[in-house]
Amino acid sequence: MKCSNCGKPVEEGRLFCMNCGQEIQWVPDYDSFGNYMEQERIKKEQERKRKERAEAEAARRKAALLEEEKRKKKKKRMITLAGVSIAAVVCILFGFFLKFSNDQRNYNDFNYQMGMAETAFSNHKYEECYTFVQRAVELDQSDTDAKLLLAQVQIKLEKSKEAVTTLKKLLKTEPDNVTAYGQLIKIYEQSESFDEIKELLDQCEDDDILKKYDSYISSVPVFSLPGGDYDELKSLQLYSREDNGTIYYTTDGSDPSRDSNVYTESISLNDGTTTVKAIVINAKGIASDIVTNRYNITLTPPDSPRISPSSGKFTTDMDTRIYIIVPDGCKAYYAFDKKPTIGDEAYDPGQPVEMKMGTHTFYAILVDENGKVSYPGSAIYTLSDPE
């Protein structure tokens, strides 16, 4: 048995503890036993709580360790992800840098831009081609192929005005470029700008180009009469060297066009000045140069008519008929005491005019088939009864 106070072993039969002097109860009474049981219960409870606390602390420590482990893993993962992200960003930035450097190099490389333009054009990607070929032209203003391709893609994109400008600029530096002429003519022909075709070829001084596109050049009309002065009426004929050419002309001094008179028969040249202008428009609708001739026709009026009898005194028992000598192709008009006009009496050669009583002046004129009027002829007659 042990001392309940100090816990030292006590020999059986002793009443007091030899170590601390505590009285020893060998047979516990009821209360002591109850206290003992309570103490045991308390101890067990305390032991249970201690274990629970220990278990709880152990669980807490384990949870803390797990949490710390998770935190460390998460941190490690975050560091890894950050490293990967940084590496990715670096790679992306490096890629962008390489691409930017490559793009810059290509942007300033004429061969690259031209090659991309030609590839895009062959694949009918005209907008893409337009971007590349514009840059190619910027890089090398002297390259003919680039300018021709630029004009081609402008035509495909329905930028005809821009294409015309491109080709005209090219011809200023290369006036013998056959392809540029061909492209320009095609644009003008499609838009029915025939005057522009004529102007283009009029300015060309290259015989080979003019020969190549001679079907677009219209020959001038041929006049049957040279301009000049004439003393008789003339009839003018016009001719075209073009197989299917149409001649247009004017006689009022204005420039001929497609809205002018179409030549079908001879042009009558009347008295006075007539200015005839003519062009030929060939089968392709191209007009020739204007040919102008001026005709001055001055018709000579007929001589004054001869009147019979000549002036004198006459009596009623004499032949008092008046005759006018009328040449072929003329008509005569007469009047007494005034100069006649074509509004006065017309003379009939089969019916001579009778003299009037008294003294009167007889006048007569001739009008030829061209309407030219002679100076008047005259005679003074005195008619009276016989004495």
Side-chain angles (χ1 to χ4, degrees), residues 152-168:
Q152 282 185 290
V153 76
Q154 285 171 331
I155 293 170
K156 292 293 185 181
L157 295 174
E158 298 182 354
K159 299 178 182 290
S160 296
K161 290 184 178 180
E162 291 86 343
V164 168
T165 300
T166 299
L167 293 168
K168 282 186 174 181

Side-chain angles (χ1 to χ4, degrees), residues 34-198:
N35 289 335
Y36 173 76
M37 292 299 291
E38 180 64 18
Q39 290 175 357
E40 287 295 320
R41 185 188 67 76
I42 291 171
K43 286 181 180 179
K44 289 180 178 179
E45 183 67 20
Q46 289 177 343
E47 182 66 19
R48 183 183 65 77
K49 289 181 177 181
R50 184 185 65 77
K51 287 182 178 180
E52 287 180 352
R53 283 195 298 272
E55 289 175 356
E57 179 65 18
R60 185 187 66 77
R61 289 180 179 177
K62 185 176 181 181
L65 289 174
L66 289 174
E67 187 66 25
E68 179 67 15
E69 186 68 21
K70 287 181 180 180
R71 187 185 67 78
K72 289 181 178 180
K73 288 182 178 181
K74 184 177 181 180
K75 182 177 180 180
K76 184 177 181 181
R77 188 163 57 250
M78 291 295 291
I79 292 172
T80 301
L81 288 174
V84 172
S85 298
I86 291 171
V89 170
V90 170
C91 289
I92 291 171
L93 291 175
F94 184 69
F96 276 126
F97 174 76
L98 287 178
K99 185 177 184 303
F100 177 77
S101 299
N102 190 53
D103 288 346
Q104 283 296 108
R105 183 173 61 256
N106 291 335
Y107 185 72
N108 294 301
D109 186 338
F110 170 81
N111 291 328
Y112 174 83
Q113 296 293 325
M114 193 63 184
M116 293 297 290
E118 290 172 342
T119 299
F121 188 86
S122 64
N123 292 324
H124 309 292
K125 297 179 179 179
Y126 301 122
E127 289 286 356
E128 182 179 328
C129 173
Y130 190 42
T131 300
F132 285 115
V133 74
Q134 276 186 308
R135 180 57 183 164
V137 172
E138 289 175 3
L139 292 171
D140 189 349
Q141 293 285 337
S142 64
D143 191 87
T144 301
D145 291 337
K147 292 178 182 178
L148 290 174
L149 180 57
L150 175 60
Q152 282 185 290
V153 76
Q154 285 171 331
I155 293 170
K156 292 293 185 181
L157 295 174
E158 298 182 354
K159 299 178 182 290
S160 296
K161 290 184 178 180
E162 291 86 343
V164 168
T165 300
T166 299
L167 293 168
K168 282 186 174 181
K169 287 182 178 179
L170 175 58
L171 287 176
K172 285 183 179 180
T173 56
E174 296 184 39
D176 58 347
N177 192 296
V178 178
T179 304
Y181 272 97
Q183 288 188 354
L184 263 179
I185 289 173
K186 183 177 181 181
I187 294 172
Y188 288 145
E189 189 170 16
Q190 289 176 345
S191 62
E192 297 185 351
S193 301
F194 304 116
D195 291 341
E196 281 77 2
I197 296 177
K198 180 181 184 308

Side-chain angles (χ1 to χ4, degrees), residues 102-360:
N102 190 53
D103 288 346
Q104 283 296 108
R105 183 173 61 256
N106 291 335
Y107 185 72
N108 294 301
D109 186 338
F110 170 81
N111 291 328
Y112 174 83
Q113 296 293 325
M114 193 63 184
M116 293 297 290
E118 290 172 342
T119 299
F121 188 86
S122 64
N123 292 324
H124 309 292
K125 297 179 179 179
Y126 301 122
E127 289 286 356
E128 182 179 328
C129 173
Y130 190 42
T131 300
F132 285 115
V133 74
Q134 276 186 308
R135 180 57 183 164
V137 172
E138 289 175 3
L139 292 171
D140 189 349
Q141 293 285 337
S142 64
D143 191 87
T144 301
D145 291 337
K147 292 178 182 178
L148 290 174
L149 180 57
L150 175 60
Q152 282 185 290
V153 76
Q154 285 171 331
I155 293 170
K156 292 293 185 181
L157 295 174
E158 298 182 354
K159 299 178 182 290
S160 296
K161 290 184 178 180
E162 291 86 343
V164 168
T165 300
T166 299
L167 293 168
K168 282 186 174 181
K169 287 182 178 179
L170 175 58
L171 287 176
K172 285 183 179 180
T173 56
E174 296 184 39
D176 58 347
N177 192 296
V178 178
T179 304
Y181 272 97
Q183 288 188 354
L184 263 179
I185 289 173
K186 183 177 181 181
I187 294 172
Y188 288 145
E189 189 170 16
Q190 289 176 345
S191 62
E192 297 185 351
S193 301
F194 304 116
D195 291 341
E196 281 77 2
I197 296 177
K198 180 181 184 308
E199 181 181 356
L200 176 68
L201 294 176
D202 283 347
Q203 295 172 353
C204 180
E205 298 178 355
D206 190 297
D207 292 337
D208 292 334
I209 292 175
L210 293 175
K211 184 176 180 180
K212 180 177 179 63
Y213 297 110
D214 61 353
S215 62
Y216 291 90
I217 301 173
S218 184
S219 300
V220 297
V222 178
F223 283 55
S224 63
L225 289 174
D229 298 328
Y230 296 89
D231 59 3
E232 60 182 349
L233 298 182
K234 292 292 184 180
S235 181
L236 173 66
Q237 290 81 41
L238 303 178
Y239 304 95
S240 172
R241 295 187 180 93
E242 304 290 338
D243 292 337
N244 296 311
T246 302
I247 301 174
Y248 296 85
Y249 72 96
T250 63
T251 57
D252 60 359
S254 63
D255 289 342
S257 67
R258 292 172 178 82
D259 298 325
S260 301
N261 299 316
V262 177
Y263 177 80
T264 56
E265 58 185 16
S266 299
I267 302 170
S268 296
L269 302 176
N270 297 318
D271 185 37
T273 300
T274 303
T275 300
V276 180
K277 293 186 176 183
I279 58 171
V280 173
I281 296 181
N282 65 14
K284 288 186 177 293
I286 311 300
S288 70
D289 289 333
I290 298 173
V291 177
T292 302
N293 276 328
R294 182 174 288 103
Y295 300 93
N296 298 312
I297 297 180
T298 304
L299 297 177
T300 302
D303 295 332
S304 299
R306 289 185 297 158
I307 301 171
S308 179
S310 58
S311 300
K313 293 181 179 181
F314 298 85
T315 59
T316 56
D317 59 351
M318 300 172 62
D319 184 2
T320 58
R321 290 175 294 182
I322 303 171
Y323 296 88
I324 302 172
I325 309 304
V326 182
D328 291 340
C330 291
K331 292 182 179 181
Y333 297 86
Y334 67 92
F336 285 96
D337 302 321
K338 71 168 188 171
K339 294 179 180 180
T341 67
I342 60 175
D344 289 306
E345 289 288 336
Y347 176 75
D348 183 353
Q351 296 182 349
V353 180
E354 289 291 338
M355 295 180 187
K356 291 184 177 184
M357 292 295 291
T359 300
H360 298 280

